[in-house]
Amino acid sequence: MVLLADLPLWRDDTLSHWVQALATYDRAIAALPNGKLPAHDAWYRHELPALVHTRAPMHVTHDEMVRITEWKMARGVWRAPNLVLVRNNPPGTVEAATASASALLDMPAKAVAAVSALRGVGPATASAVLAIMAPERFPFFDEIVTGQVAPHVEGMGTIAWTAPYYRKYVAALTARAAALGNGWHATMVERALWAHGIHAGARL
């Protein structure tokens, strides 16, 4: 994977350019070589949120956790050992951990920690779960996106797959969403940047 450290979208304040980038997300998904990704992505973005938000408390099931992990890896880097660990989590443990996280959305560090307590789950996979529950607060933690943001945000530095670094990432994307206004939130910023990065050749 090659990251382009100075893609222009992050520093572009023109709303129409961000809208255009977000509109190319489906095309970026289709451009990747994993044939299962389009179906996984449609499920993750359109079907799963509706299911999760009907549950009280919100949570994901074991099978959903496995598929979220498969979506994450198909969109990024496939790490088979991590997927095995995720599959080996007891179903009740997955539901309990994610239900606990849903009660902690106002305390982001604790919400991330609750999901990350599952085997095979770090902050990036935890963010994929939390983005379903509260997309405006928990954008998916993505390397291609970080590669565009970190060079321009003081204090971010080299990407680290840690909870403290994720907090910096969230702060940057949330601030950008606020600056764009017009109903934008952090997950929309993440997806626009990711699609822009794919089309610009961030992933070869």
Side-chain angles (χ1 to χ4, degrees):
M1 180 178 291
V2 177
L3 296 179
L4 303 182
D6 196 25
L7 295 176
L9 184 60
W10 178 254
R11 294 192 294 181
D12 191 332
D13 295 327
T14 305
L15 177 62
S16 63
H17 294 171
W18 285 85
V19 171
Q20 181 180 12
L22 184 60
T24 68
Y25 181 90
D26 285 334
R27 184 157 54 89
I29 287 289
L32 296 187
N34 190 308
K36 295 182 179 180
L37 179 57
H40 278 326
D41 190 76
W43 170 81
Y44 175 79
R45 289 190 294 137
H46 303 304
E47 296 180 33
L48 184 59
L51 287 172
V52 170
H53 282 263
T54 64
R55 298 169 183 160
M58 288 190 292
H59 63 274
V60 300
T61 66
H62 178 274
D63 288 348
E64 289 166 351
M65 188 74 217
V66 171
R67 193 169 181 186
I68 288 168
T69 306
E70 291 174 342
W71 166 82
K72 167 189 174 284
M73 292 182 180
R75 215 189 78 159
V77 178
W78 195 268
R79 294 185 172 90
N82 280 14
L83 183 56
V84 170
L85 290 172
V86 171
R87 285 177 173 154
N88 286 337
N89 284 300
T93 302
V94 172
E95 293 189 11
T98 56
S100 294
S102 74
L104 297 167
L105 298 177
D106 289 333
M107 295 176 278
K110 291 185 178 181
V112 171
V115 186
S116 299
L118 295 167
R119 286 179 290 182
V121 176
T125 306
S127 75
V129 173
L130 295 168
I132 294 298
M133 300 178 180
E136 71 284 356
R137 301 187 209 176
F138 297 94
F140 175 56
F141 191 8
D142 181 85
E143 186 174 10
I144 287 173
V145 174
T146 307
Q148 297 173 66
V149 175
H152 308 297
V153 177
E154 185 176 356
M156 285 193 71
T158 303
I159 187 171
W161 298 106
T162 63
Y165 194 93
Y166 178 61
R167 289 196 290 273
K168 296 178 183 179
Y169 175 91
V170 170
L173 270 61
T174 301
R176 169 57 69 182
L180 288 171
N182 293 279
W184 275 67
H185 57 64
T187 291
M188 295 169 71
V189 170
E190 176 265 313
R191 290 174 182 165
L193 287 168
W194 183 82
H196 178 70
I198 292 295
H199 294 307
R203 179 175 177 175
L204 302 178

